[in-house]
Amino acid sequence: MIPLIRPYIQFGEIEENFRNIFESGILTRGPFVQKLAEKLQSLSEKRFCFPTSSATTALSACLRGLGIRHGDEVIVADFSFPATANVVEEVGAQTVLADVDPDTFNLAPAALLEAMTSKTRAVIAVDAFGNPTGMNEIARICEDRGIFLIEDAACAIGSSENGVPAGGIGKAGCFSFHPRKLLTSGEGGAIMTSDEDLAAALRVKLLHGGVPSEVGMSFIDVGYNYRLPELQAAMIIAQLKNLMDIVARRQKFQAKVSSRLMPHGFIPQKTGAGVSHNVQSLVYQVPEGVSKTGKHARNDLIGRLRAQGVESTLGTYSISSSPYYRSKYSRVCRVSADLQERTITLPCHDGVTPEELCDRLEKCL
């Protein structure tokens, strides 16, 4: 079976880092976490970095650091993994799901403007599958209205728009190091920001609400343990030096696959001028003509690919279409719902060639 993803990291790259950690006895809040923070600050061109246990805890900490609470509204791009919206529900605010552009899959500016009210405190816009197209425009809209933009850059490390690195476009940006991502530590994340007020709040929130005192800690707020351990930081550091090479290889992979699939009617995710896309996921809209039954073309194709030894899955989710959010807010975003049914994610990694992937896929058409 050709898996959807195969991590790029090799044990030899992290062996020395692990040995140093075990010899030091420092497993948390040590030099590797600090070194990772510095490297990510440089990568994102932000002043502050807070490594976290996941992108979900990163998003949650941002909302808590901003003081988002019951009665506030947070606009969320609808085409995303539900964690993007779940963090808003978890702090007790109201999630306002906004539709996406049918070509880029990112938050549509018109939908964002329509969703804004006097209660809007923040926007969480997603770099869908690592594509930051349009994120600078979203940032301008938010800045003009004094609304805090959190860039969900979970998939987008190594991407950029108009020379601005993903994770550094919003007031805050959040990365993920889940196994589906280009760099992985199994789980993990990071918050990037240059906002001094948010950074000050995060220093306390991410230390259980405490600040150092003469003896021990003084707990001045409610806080959490969302921290990234030393071993995971060491894994990410070892991979960072290869990041742009990985991006280049995935971009070439995508170009070759698209040249084979577009004549069959597959539509690739669109990227704008001035965008470098890391191709975190290789996603296409599936033409209806590939269905053998006349319906559910994407689902049929996933099943036939499985029979050919190729793992694939849907693009991602229309959050507003899920039972919880549909029941609570009674509004489904039309474009996002359509993309949930029509998009497919294909393997993209060094364990398969574009030619082998396309040969197997074409047997399913």
Side-chain angles (χ1 to χ4, degrees):
M1 175 69 73
I2 297 171
L4 200 59
I5 186 64
R6 178 174 292 172
Y8 290 90
I9 190 169
Q10 302 295 320
F11 180 70
E13 297 176 323
I14 61 172
E15 186 175 9
E16 183 178 354
N17 288 351
F18 277 16
R19 184 180 295 108
N20 290 338
I21 291 169
F22 290 132
E23 289 177 352
S24 75
I26 301 173
L27 299 181
T28 187
R29 298 179 62 195
F32 282 94
V33 170
Q34 180 59 37
K35 183 177 180 181
L36 174 63
E38 292 168 358
K39 287 182 175 294
L40 293 177
Q41 285 168 217
S42 177
L43 179 70
S44 66
E45 300 177 1
K46 289 294 190 183
R47 292 176 58 198
F48 309 108
C49 172
F50 299 88
T52 61
S53 56
S54 69
T56 304
T57 54
L59 290 167
S60 176
C62 282
L63 294 178
R64 293 183 179 281
L66 292 171
I68 304 295
R69 54 177 61 88
H70 181 77
D72 295 332
E73 293 179 356
V74 178
I75 299 171
V76 176
D78 191 59
F79 194 50
S80 181
F81 194 78
T84 309
N86 289 348
V87 294
V88 180
E89 297 290 300
E90 193 265 336
V91 301
Q94 182 171 346
T95 307
V96 180
L97 294 163
D99 218 338
V100 298
D101 182 277
D103 300 317
T104 68
F105 311 157
N106 288 342
L107 182 60
L112 171 61
L113 290 167
E114 182 181 355
M116 286 181 170
T117 73
S118 60
K119 295 181 179 179
T120 302
R121 287 284 313 282
V123 171
I124 304 179
V126 181
D127 298 313
F129 313 119
N131 175 17
T133 298
M135 194 59 65
N136 279 285
E137 181 179 359
I138 297 297
R140 284 193 293 271
I141 291 171
C142 291
E143 185 171 4
D144 288 347
R145 289 156 181 79
I147 295 171
F148 201 98
L149 172 62
I150 301 171
E151 181 189 1
D152 184 341
C155 299
I157 194 165
S159 297
S160 63
E161 184 184 39
N162 299 332
V164 183
I169 299 175
K171 286 284 189 177
C174 297
F175 291 132
S176 170
F177 302 111
H178 180 272
R180 283 280 303 273
K181 308 305 187 286
L182 273 65
L183 309 182
T184 183
S185 54
E187 296 286 358
I191 303 167
M192 315 306 305
T193 188
S194 292
D195 187 278
E196 293 188 0
D197 291 337
L198 177 60
L202 290 172
R203 288 190 193 98
V204 176
K205 289 289 187 184
L206 295 175
L207 197 59
H208 299 279
V211 295
S213 65
E214 185 176 353
V215 179
M217 304 285 292
S218 176
F219 295 97
I220 61 173
D221 196 358
V222 174
Y224 316 93
N225 180 0
Y226 288 169
R227 296 189 302 269
L228 186 77
E230 283 284 281
L231 289 168
Q232 289 174 281
M235 290 177 67
I236 301 164
I237 289 169
Q239 298 166 79
L240 266 169
K241 64 180 182 295
N242 299 320
L243 174 60
M244 299 318 295
D245 182 56
I246 292 170
V247 170
R249 299 205 303 271
R250 293 177 74 93
Q251 289 173 339
K252 291 178 181 177
F253 192 107
Q254 180 195 48
K256 290 181 179 180
V257 172
S258 293
S259 70
R260 288 273 296 268
L261 296 189
M262 289 175 67
H264 295 292
F266 288 79
I267 303 172
Q269 182 183 17
K270 182 179 179 180
T271 55
V275 168
S276 177
H277 180 203
N278 70 359
V279 196
Q280 182 271 333
S281 288
L282 185 60
V283 179
Y284 294 89
Q285 296 184 58
V286 175
E288 289 297 327
V290 306
S291 174
K292 304 296 185 184
T293 63
K295 59 181 180 179
H296 305 305
R298 192 275 315 282
N299 293 353
D300 282 358
L301 183 57
I302 287 174
R304 280 180 270 130
L305 282 168
R306 187 181 303 115
Q308 289 291 327
V310 178
E311 182 184 10
S312 61
T313 188
L314 80 171
T316 193
Y317 298 90
S318 167
I319 301 173
S320 64
S321 299
S322 65
Y324 173 85
Y325 287 94
R326 187 173 64 243
S327 173
K328 182 171 183 180
Y329 294 111
S330 303
R331 178 180 176 270
V332 172
C333 295
R334 180 186 59 80
V335 173
S336 176
D338 181 58
L339 291 172
Q340 176 180 266
E341 300 304 315
R342 295 181 56 199
T343 51
I344 189 170
T345 302
L346 299 173
C348 179
H349 51 80
D350 292 345
V352 60
T353 67
E355 293 77 17
E356 181 183 7
L357 175 63
C358 292
D359 287 346
R360 295 200 192 192
L361 188 145
E362 286 176 340
K363 292 178 180 178
C364 301
L365 302 181

